[in-house]
Amino acid sequence: MSKVDNLMVLWDQTRNGEQGSFALLHKALYPGLFRYAFTTIQDADLVDDLLQELFIKFWENRVRIGEITNVRAYFYRSTRCTLLDHIRKSQLKASKLEAMPFAEFEYSNEDAIISREQDVELKEVMMGAINNLPLKQREVIHMRFYQDLNYNQISEITGIKYQSVVNQVYRAVQILRETCLLSNIYAA
């Protein structure tokens, strides 16, 4: 069976909800997509985040996406669109920042003290949120962000399937984002 046929089979199995097939598809396509994306955006962490979000969208929308005749091309085209969308959003943010008057960025000593206090509070909220995560999520978050291990390394160390590691990290980050959002809402 050719690589193209193998990717089609993996995608068809993924559409039927087989996580193992999706993990194999991720493993087969991710390195090439990463190299491709890195030529456009030379920030490995950002590229990793963008690709992980893209793969999550593929998983969540697998039924709606339907049959793909050229899986590799579809994933590369989707990556390209994701990169272009990110670049457009970044340029829009940069242009808005440039349009802001500098007077808004003048800080007094009081502002600096308040900012430091808010940073300490946010750090405390984050540490509390991390400690409240389920054990598996806490473990993979620690390995991913504090020990800087990639998903394959975490999978090998923990014995958890590759896709499960990706899912655990994603869910944990979502919980942490929500916790930070809620703490900002209650602080306001």
Side-chain angles (χ1 to χ4, degrees):
M1 183 180 308
S2 73
K3 286 184 181 181
V4 173
D5 293 335
N6 190 33
L7 292 176
M8 285 179 60
V9 168
L10 289 174
W11 177 251
D12 287 339
Q13 292 169 342
T14 296
R15 286 178 38 219
N16 292 326
E18 293 184 29
Q19 288 185 357
S21 296
F22 187 64
L24 291 173
L25 193 64
H26 185 277
K27 195 172 187 175
L29 293 172
Y30 181 85
L33 293 173
F34 183 88
R35 284 189 300 275
Y36 169 70
F38 192 75
T39 61
T40 305
I41 300 175
Q42 281 85 34
D43 181 340
D45 290 333
L46 177 59
V47 168
D48 185 52
D49 289 346
L50 291 172
L51 287 176
Q52 293 307 331
E53 287 176 21
L54 181 64
F55 271 92
I56 289 166
K57 286 179 186 175
F58 282 134
W59 176 257
E60 291 173 346
N61 297 305
R62 65 190 181 277
V63 174
R64 193 172 64 212
I65 293 171
E67 186 177 334
I68 301 173
T69 54
N70 188 338
V71 176
R72 184 177 305 279
Y74 186 85
F75 275 66
Y76 272 83
R77 208 171 31 250
S78 298
T79 299
R80 183 177 182 273
C81 290
T82 298
L83 295 173
L84 292 174
D85 187 48
H86 172 76
I87 290 168
R88 274 189 223 107
K89 287 178 182 175
S90 295
Q91 288 172 342
L92 181 63
K93 286 179 187 176
S95 67
K96 285 182 179 179
L97 249 168
E98 287 175 9
M100 292 178 106
F102 283 107
E104 292 182 29
F105 291 108
E106 294 176 12
Y107 292 106
S108 67
N109 287 338
E110 286 179 7
D111 291 335
I113 292 169
I114 291 170
S115 177
R116 272 186 251 132
E117 287 175 358
Q118 289 171 338
D119 289 347
V120 168
E121 288 175 18
L122 179 60
K123 191 173 187 177
E124 288 174 1
V125 167
M126 284 300 292
M127 291 309 295
I130 289 171
N131 289 332
N132 287 330
L133 289 172
L135 181 60
K136 277 187 182 178
Q137 289 179 357
R138 194 174 343 141
E139 181 182 22
V140 294
I141 284 292
H142 182 76
M143 290 178 169
R144 179 72 182 108
F145 297 107
Y146 290 96
Q147 294 179 345
D148 202 29
L149 299 175
N150 65 36
Y151 296 108
N152 282 326
Q153 293 168 323
I154 296 170
S155 177
E156 289 173 17
I157 291 169
T158 61
I160 301 172
K161 290 182 180 180
Y162 177 87
Q163 188 60 44
S164 294
V165 171
V166 172
N167 293 343
Q168 290 288 341
V169 170
Y170 175 77
R171 286 186 197 112
V173 169
Q174 291 299 103
I175 290 169
L176 295 175
R177 282 182 183 155
E178 289 171 11
T179 301
C180 286
L181 262 171
L182 290 175
S183 72
N184 286 338
I185 290 170
Y186 291 125

